């Protein structure tokens, strides 16, 4: 098992390397310079600024310098848009906020989705099932950027129950986390239900029932593990997708997270920052996938671990 | 990858718990007719399918017959609530919302279908080859999938736009040339937004094929050791024949389901991109763009959000129901008691 | 629905909030809190609170005394002398000196700083030349470089970088038993002295004879440099040293201060130092200023000036006649301008003229972290507020500067500046009472304007800024002035404002807003009263028929096409704008107008900001959306963007007569005549339309009724210093500011006043 984990983590490295290379090249080739401004900068000054960051060197040389910078100086470089701030500082300040949002979103999504899915499966084809699945469908079909302003309108502006925006106390977290969690919860509900339905019909469940165990024990203790398999395999990309999708929530609620740099960094041609954010994203995704694989194995010993 | 979630709903049989296909290739015909029969009995799926067809026809026909064009601005009119002349109201530039919805539907549906088709084509081939040959080919192909998977969608889209959707690049010239085969006015700058959309399709399709490839590969892996494949090989069927005539048709079930479920995912992603200003742009419309613009004045002109949102949600629901129905139809073990 | 019947938008109480704590939205993350480098409003607005220049914006955005409390000026508005107040202090208690200002201005102009705000200081003598790297310093001809050894690559690099000649290699260390005299100009010829007793110590006094004059200049014994390492520059006049004939030596310190001094030869002990050796280089040519070549109007792009290389800052030290700013003593700053600037007090409010602390900045530069000093832990500022916390991309908080004279009088003790980018969220935050106003750095979402207009806390004021479309006058058919005029006359600007922009803006037919100050508005009003209006009437206002006639005349016949028009032979034009909802809506409307009124089809292209700027830089556009916000309250700031040499003139349009008119207008001391010339120049612009004037901005502001001291003005500048929060606003309607600023005493006469 630990060999597997190590092997998975080890295989991250070439993947990360390739990812960063691709992004690096594409960024540098895209038209536009980090230093274009509205008040026209005299061309000499522009050239001088670009010179300082070695932007006129041949691409290979820039690439080499950049790798050296990471490997030797242990820094991701300065941000070109925010002077005086290094990329790792920016990431260090904003990643935790995104992670908070993501983490709680995940918890809430699981807490809402799994029970809903179980109800749907166990009470299949009753009204409870229909209601549960209808709610899930709705959660999937309504985009976050519609849900969020709607909730803000009702809960904050009309009823004054919750803050409108910003990121200060736990009360500020309620709406953003909920909006982040809802679509995920919907998917999780559907997956849980589907998985549960499959498991419920299997032999060993029948055996458990025959043994006289109560329905609740049967469901929770025995069926759930198998039912959660599809949920688990969804969590990896789901979590990553949430980190990206948090961009919308961050923008609407003014949360100082990392998501916005995915877009702004590229638009500003802030090469170092984009590289840093992509790196973090890639690491998170890969680790999440690896964790999912490991969790999968725990839940279902019949699964062969992929090499 | 969709902003919302990657639709990696497990196909009916996960790789680990693969069960033999219902019938081998020679009895394939009856698998499909069986499935079709079951599907027809599923009322929800049927209604959904009919609705989608109706909607598509509406979006194709209505902009041609409507008294208002999607880009007909009437500034003096401004935003008005639904009325007899404008059943869905108008937006702040005085444009008829119904016309914009219908036109937008063309784009949203086209994006969904074309991007999904691209992802289908690439993903199936890629995953099929990888799963069948295994070994180093598999490792190499999947490594590429891993790398591309790890690049955030947004970064890719912006770069693609900056690169390709700029009228000075070579890709644009190719595009103009290919359009020029069909029409005289290829160089008309009003086509530029269309080109940009097409590149967005490409970007979206270019990302969602990744999961498709993985799923196909998984299916192929689990099927490839089955007896009927042995049998085919012993008759002397070549590699290509085995992949395309035996493996894929049997794996097709989950693939079809996943494809149907990709469409809503792509449509949502397009809406997400439009909200960020990276997707469809004015004066074109798509449901995503309409919804995104509508949320800016949610309490002032609610119809601007309500109708596009409703349309989007209904379409997504229908595709999801249809996908569910297909899954139920193709995998009869999941029986409704 | 937002149709509450209450007369204010949202709540008017602030439960749980400190009445001395002000909440505002800065809109975006500031790029720099460094006055020398900041040029975006998100930064300069904060700097206006943290720092204090010689002047400050008062409650009505008029320049009031800041760090300076009085000044002298010359009659031709070219020479000024400012007196720094006694109680001006930094946030660490140290006094603010004139030297801080001199250092700050020179640093901003120094090409090495790469400041994008330097343009404001071009009024200084040689400011522009210096900033563009064309300045060579006259008097200091030689420079000394310390190198590890003789074979360093520096030797060759030095001569490659600038026209230099290597003069010599000094045996570095000269151990001075008696310190040399300092601050002695380099062009001395000889040295004499009254008392010499070199056995017991250094002479008390010495007399220096300058090269060009025989007037002796006394040098006092206090002017000494510390003992240490020096490099020998040259040998000067003879001296008797310890009874033996010797020479005076000119030496330069090698501790990085580049200070030069003189001492008699026998006072040195030349020995090798561990540091290496000194390379002495001399500028190669007779030092002069190399100005850019003369501009020929209409000849296309202004020729690029040839830079001669960057002049080291140290070269300017002590030689204050080069750049038009000098600190005469700790509290007196003298300023010399290249051309008269009657509105200098206004310019002295802007952030680039604020002082900075040299010791702080140089310490950070030495560490290799030149931008790191603006963090809350290390920053030093001299304004009424100081930086308390800085949460990146989220908020900054300010508290009061305990050393500032306003400390006890400020009604606001703490300010929180948020960085909310979404307009709708900002509006919501205001509604629930989390923000006290929405104004300068945030806009209100246009769809809500009709609702907001009805509220008492909403106000629309004219703003010194203009929205325009720039035309690439080098790209046919836009090179034909008739085509440009046709495009201009076919836009129904009033309808645009009423239906699309909806902010009660003023349609523009020319380029200097009517309400610009410094006498412009009065001049224009008097013109209009006498019956002539230079900017309205035929050929200026919306006139689709005339537009069609002009276009036809230019060779593109406009024929009827259904219930619209079609301009024959006219290829579609392209309108470029940066991705933004506001610009999109306007562009779509204008596209429609051109189609309906003129038959010209235009395609819209929007690009993200960086790509658009690059395309504009490369002249890769036809029509592009831009605008201009006044840097100061005077027509010159708008006219600047049309001058043929200006970097902000991207249109390729150049008109000699226009340049001439503006130059004359700027140098004319008579205000009325000056304004007359400006109006003349603006008429040329209105005729030639290298840019299409669309509208003059207005500012829509929401301010809570309990905010007092917030005065609307055309600059949209409201500093928090003057504000106070009054919970009894319902019963007390006065809007007096929290502090009454002092006013300027009558300026003294520059020549006569004692420095």
């Amino acid at each position: 098992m630990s060999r597997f984990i190590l092997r998975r983590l080890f295989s991250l490295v070439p993947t990360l390397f390739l990812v960063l290379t691709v992004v690096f090249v594409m960024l540098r080739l895209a038209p536009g310079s980090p230093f274009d401004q509205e008040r026209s900068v005299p061309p000499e000054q522009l050239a001088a600024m670009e010179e300082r960051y070695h932007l006129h060197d041949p691409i290979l040389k820039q690439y080499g310098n950049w790798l050296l910078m990471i490997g030797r100086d242990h820094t991701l470089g300065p941000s070109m848009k925010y002077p005086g701030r290094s990329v790792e500082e920016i990431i260090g300040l904003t990643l935790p906020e995104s992670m908070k949002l993501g983490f709680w979103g995940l918890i809430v999504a699981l807490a809402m989705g799994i029970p809903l899915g179980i109800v749907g499966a166990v009470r299949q084809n009753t009204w409870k099932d229909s209601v549960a699945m209808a709610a899930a469908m709705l959660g999937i079909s309504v985009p976050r950027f519609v849900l969020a302003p709607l909730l803000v309108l009702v809960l904050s502006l009309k009823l004054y129950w919750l803050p409108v925006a910003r990121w200060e106390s736990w009360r500020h977290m309620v709406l953003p986390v909920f909006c982040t969690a809802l679509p995920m919860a919907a998917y999780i509900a559907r997956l849980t239900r589907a998985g549960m339905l499959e498991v419920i019909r299997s032999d060993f469940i029948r055996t458990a029932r025959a043994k006289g165990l109560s329905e609740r024990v049967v469901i929770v203790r025995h069926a759930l593990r198998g039912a959660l398999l599809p949920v688990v395999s969804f969590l990896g990309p789901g979590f990553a997708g949430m980190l990206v999708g948090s961009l919308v929530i961050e923008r609407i609620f003014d949360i100082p997270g990392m998501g916005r740099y995915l877009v702004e960094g590229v638009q500003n041609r802030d090469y170092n920052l984009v590289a840093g954010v992509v790196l973090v994203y890639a690491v998170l995704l890969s680790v999440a996938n690896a964790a999912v694989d490991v969790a999968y194995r725990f839940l279902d010993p019949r699964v062969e671990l992929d090499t | 990858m969709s902003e919302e979630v990657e639709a990696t709903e497990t196909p009916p049989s996960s790789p680990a718990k693969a069960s033999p296909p219902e019938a081998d290739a020679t009895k394939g015909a009856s698998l499909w007719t069986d499935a079709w029969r079951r599907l027809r009995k599923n009322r929800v799926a049927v209604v959904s399918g009919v609705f989608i067809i109706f909607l598509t026809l509406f979006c194709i026909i209505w902009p041609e017959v409507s008294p208002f064009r999607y880009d007909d601005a009437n500034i003096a009119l401004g935003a008005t609530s639904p009325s007899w002349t404008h059943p869905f109201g108008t937006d702040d530039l005085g444009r008829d919302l119904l016309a914009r919805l219908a036109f937008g539907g063309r784009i949203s549906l086209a994006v969904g279908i074309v991007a999904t088709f691209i992802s289908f084509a690439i993903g199936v081939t890629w995953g099929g080859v990888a799963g069948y040959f295994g070994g180093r080919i598999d490792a190499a192909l999947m490594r590429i999938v891993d790398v591309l998977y790890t690049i955030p969608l947004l970064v890719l889209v912006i770069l693609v736009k900056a690169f390709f959707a700029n009228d000075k690049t070579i890709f644009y010239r190719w595009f103009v040339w290919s359009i020029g085969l069909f029409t005289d006015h290829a160089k008309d700058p009003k086509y530029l937004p269309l080109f940009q959309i097409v590149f967005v399709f490409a970007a979206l399709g270019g990302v969602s094929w990744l999961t498709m490839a993985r799923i196909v590969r998984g299916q192929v892996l689990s099927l490839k050791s089955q007896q009927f494949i042995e049998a085919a090989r012993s008759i002397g069927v070549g590699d290509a024949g085995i992949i395309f005539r035996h493996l894929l048709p049997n794996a097709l079930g989950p693939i079809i389901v996943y494809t149907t479920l990709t469409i809503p995912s792509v449509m949502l992603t397009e809406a997400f991109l439009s909200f960020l200003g990276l997707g469809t742009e004015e004066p074109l419309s798509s449901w995503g763009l309409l919804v995104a613009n509508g949320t800016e004045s949610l309490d002032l002109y609610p119809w601007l959000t309500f109708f596009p949102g409703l349309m989007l949600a209904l379409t997504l629901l229908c595709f999801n129901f249809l996908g569910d129905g297909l899954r139920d139809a193709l995998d009869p073990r999941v029986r409704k008691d | 629905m937002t149709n509450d019947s209450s007369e204010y938008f949202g709540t008017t109480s602030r439960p749980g909030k400190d009445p001395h704590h002000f909440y505002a939205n800065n809109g975006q993350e500031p790029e720099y809190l460094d006055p020398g480098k900041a040029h975006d409003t998100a930064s300069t607005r904060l700097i206006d609170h943290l720092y204090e220049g010689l002047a400050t914006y008062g409650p009505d955005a008029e320049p009031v005394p800041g760090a300076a409390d009085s000044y002298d000026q010359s009659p031709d508005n070219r020479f000024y002398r400012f007196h720094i107040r006694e109680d001006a202090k930094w946030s660490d208690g140290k006094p603010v000196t004139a030297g801080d200002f001199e250092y700050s201005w020179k640093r901003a102009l120094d090409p090495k700083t790469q400041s994008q705000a330097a343009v404001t200081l071009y009024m200084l003598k040689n400011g522009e030349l210096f900033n563009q790297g064309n300045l060579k310093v006259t008097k200091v001809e030689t420079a000394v470089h310390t190198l590890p050894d003789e074979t360093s690559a520096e030797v060759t690099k030095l001569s490659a970088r600038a026209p230099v000649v290597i003069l010599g290699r000094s045996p570095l260390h000269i151990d001075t038993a008696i310190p040399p005299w300092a601050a002695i100009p380099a062009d001395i010829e000889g040295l004499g002295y009254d008392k010499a007793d070199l056995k017991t110590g250094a002479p008390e006094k010495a007399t220096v004879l300058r090269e060009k004059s025989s007037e002796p200049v006394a040098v006092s014994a206090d002017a000494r440099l510390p003992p240490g390492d020096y490099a020998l520059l040259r040998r000067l006049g003879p001296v008797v040293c310890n009874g033996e004939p010797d020479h005076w030596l000119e030496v330069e310190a090698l501790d990085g201060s580049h200070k030069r001094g003189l001492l008699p030869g026998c006072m040195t002990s030349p020995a090798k130092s561990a540091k290496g050796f000194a390379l002495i280089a001399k500028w190669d040519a007779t030092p002069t200023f190399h100005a850019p070549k003369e501009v020929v109007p209409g000849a296309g792009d202004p020729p690029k000036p040839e830079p001669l290389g960057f002049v080291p800052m140290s070269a300017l030290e002590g030689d204050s006649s080069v750049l038009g700013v000098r600190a005469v003593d700790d509290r007196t700053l003298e300023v010399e301008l290249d051309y008269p600037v009657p509105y200098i007090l206004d310019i002295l409010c802007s952030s680039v003229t604020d002082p900075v602390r040299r010791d702080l900045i140089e310490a950070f530069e030495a560490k290799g972290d030149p931008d790191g000093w603006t963090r809350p832990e290390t920053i030093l500022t001299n304004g009424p507020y100081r930086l308390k916390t800085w949460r990146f991309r989220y908020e900054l908080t300010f508290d009061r500067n305990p050393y500032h004279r306003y400390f006890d009088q400020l009604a606001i003790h703490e300010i929180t500046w948020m960085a909310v980018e979404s307009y709708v969220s900002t509006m919501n935050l205001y509604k629930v009472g989390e923000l006290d106003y929405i104004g300068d750095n945030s806009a209100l979402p246009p769809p809500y304007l009709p609702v907001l207009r009805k509220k008492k806390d909403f106000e629309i004021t004219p703003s010194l800024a203009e929205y325009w479309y720039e035309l690439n006058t080098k790209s046919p058919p836009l090179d034909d002035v008739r085509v440009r005029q046709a495009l201009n006359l076919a836009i129904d600007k009033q309808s645009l404002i009423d239906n699309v922009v909806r902010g009660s803006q003023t349609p523009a037919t020319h380029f200097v807003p009517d309400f610009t100050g410094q006498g412009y508005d009065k001049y224009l009003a008097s013109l209009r009263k006498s019956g002539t209006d230079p900017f309205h009437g035929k050929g200026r206002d919306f006139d689709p028929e005339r537009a069609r006639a002009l276009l036809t005349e230019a060779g593109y016949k406009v024929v009827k096409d259904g219930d619209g028009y079609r301009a024959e032979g006219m290829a579609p034009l392209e309108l470029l704008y940066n991705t933004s909802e506001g610009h999109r809506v306007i562009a779509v409307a204008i596209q429609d107008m051109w189609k309906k009124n003129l038959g010209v089809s235009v395609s819209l292209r929007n690009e993200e900001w960086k790509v658009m700027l690059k395309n504009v830089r490369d002249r890769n556009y036809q029509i592009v959306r831009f605008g201009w916000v006044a840097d100061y309250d005077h027509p010159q700031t708008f006219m600047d963007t049309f001058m043929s040499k200006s970097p902000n003139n991207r249109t390729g349009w150049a008109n000699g007569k226009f340049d001439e008119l503006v130059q004359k207008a700027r140098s004319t001391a008579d205000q009325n005549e000056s304004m007359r010339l400006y109006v003349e120049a603006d008429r040329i612009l209105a005729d030639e339309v290298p840019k299409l004037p669309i509208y003059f901005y207005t500012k829509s502001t929401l301010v809570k009724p309990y905010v007092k001291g917030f005065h609307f003005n055309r600059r949209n500048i409201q500093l928090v210093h003057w504000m106070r929060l009054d919970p009894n606003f319902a019963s007390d309607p006065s809007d007096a500011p929290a502090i009454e600023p002092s006013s300027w005493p009558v300026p003294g006469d520059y020549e006569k006043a004692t420095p």
Side-chain angles (χ1 to χ4, degrees), chain B residues 152-196:
Chain B
L153 169 74
L154 292 172
V155 174
L156 222 50
V157 169
I158 301 181
L159 287 173
V160 164
K161 282 197 72 172
F163 251 128
F164 301 140
N166 182 325
D167 67 351
K168 295 292 170 290
T169 59
I170 191 171
F171 299 93
Y172 182 86
R173 289 201 285 265
W174 286 351
F175 202 95
V176 168
W177 171 82
S178 55
I179 295 276
L181 298 173
F182 298 104
T183 160
D184 281 335
H185 302 285
K187 287 222 177 237
D188 190 337
K190 79 162 180 268
Y191 278 113
L192 188 59
L194 202 57
F195 298 169
Q196 292 173 334

Side-chain angles (χ1 to χ4, degrees), chain B residues 75 189 281-282 296 299-300, chain C residues 1 447-448 499-500 584 603 606:
Chain B
I75 306 179
E281 286 157 25
E282 296 281 343
E296 295 283 313
D299 50 345
L300 283 181
Chain C
M1 303 284 158
Y448 287 88
N499 298 312
V500 179
R584 164 192 78 95
S603 74
N606 82 341

